[in-house]
């Protein structure tokens, strides 16, 4: 069963937001690499919940929005050699990257919208 991303306050999960700066001609390659890494490695790690990749319209950014059951699960993934290989490849494609763990503090939706 596929776990859909749920953005809610009070869930107690760890949200990774990693912003990659990339040359526009490498954006698609980075998205493909991150997608492949998620399918081949990350999704099978304990505590993984979901991942979403976003490509900026100007071609200069890729954002990975991923959810883990806890920060400890995320940190354990960082120590995994298979995950490290993918992360090294992604770092080589990017000009820079800025991974941080966040907690959802507020969520808003349009009133009356069919969600």
């Amino acid at each position: 069963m596929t776990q859909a991303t749920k953005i809610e306050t009070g869930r107690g999960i760890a949200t990774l937001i990693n912003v990659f700066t990339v040359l526009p001609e490498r954006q698609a390659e980075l998205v493909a690499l991150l997608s492949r890494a998620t399918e081949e490695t990350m999704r099978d790690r304990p505590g993984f919940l979901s991942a979403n990749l976003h490509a900026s319209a100007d071609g200069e950014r890729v954002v990975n929005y991923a959810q883990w059951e806890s920060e400890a699960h995320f940190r354990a993934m960082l120590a995994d050699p298979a995950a490290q290989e993918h992360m090294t490849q992604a770092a080589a494609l990017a000009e820079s990257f800025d991974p941080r763990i966040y907690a959802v503090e507020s969520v808003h939706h349009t009133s009356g919208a069919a969600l």
Side-chain angles (χ1 to χ4, degrees):
M1 182 171 117
T2 301
Q3 174 77 25
T5 300
K6 285 186 186 177
I7 302 175
E8 300 173 322
T9 59
R11 285 185 68 199
I13 64 169
T15 299
L16 166 70
I17 300 176
N18 192 354
V19 179
F20 295 86
T21 301
V22 64
L23 295 174
E25 60 268 21
R26 300 198 90 178
Q27 185 189 54
E29 185 180 0
L30 179 57
V31 169
L33 176 94
L34 293 170
S35 183
R36 202 169 45 254
T38 300
E39 287 298 313
E40 294 174 0
T41 303
M42 306 307 174
R43 74 181 304 167
D44 295 326
R45 298 281 117 5
F48 174 83
L49 296 174
S50 67
N52 303 271
L53 300 172
H54 306 263
S56 67
D58 64 8
E60 296 178 354
R61 302 281 189 284
V62 173
V63 177
N64 179 6
Y65 183 101
Q67 295 178 327
W68 292 84
E69 287 180 15
S70 69
E71 188 169 350
H73 284 101
F74 171 73
R75 300 278 175 218
M77 175 277 298
L78 292 177
D80 182 288
Q84 289 175 358
E85 180 180 336
H86 289 297
M87 290 182 290
T88 298
Q89 292 170 354
L93 285 174
E95 297 295 299
S96 65
F97 51 95
D98 186 20
R100 299 190 187 228
I101 297 293
Y102 293 83
V104 177
E105 295 294 327
S106 182
V107 177
H108 306 270
H109 299 283
T110 184
S111 58
L115 299 177

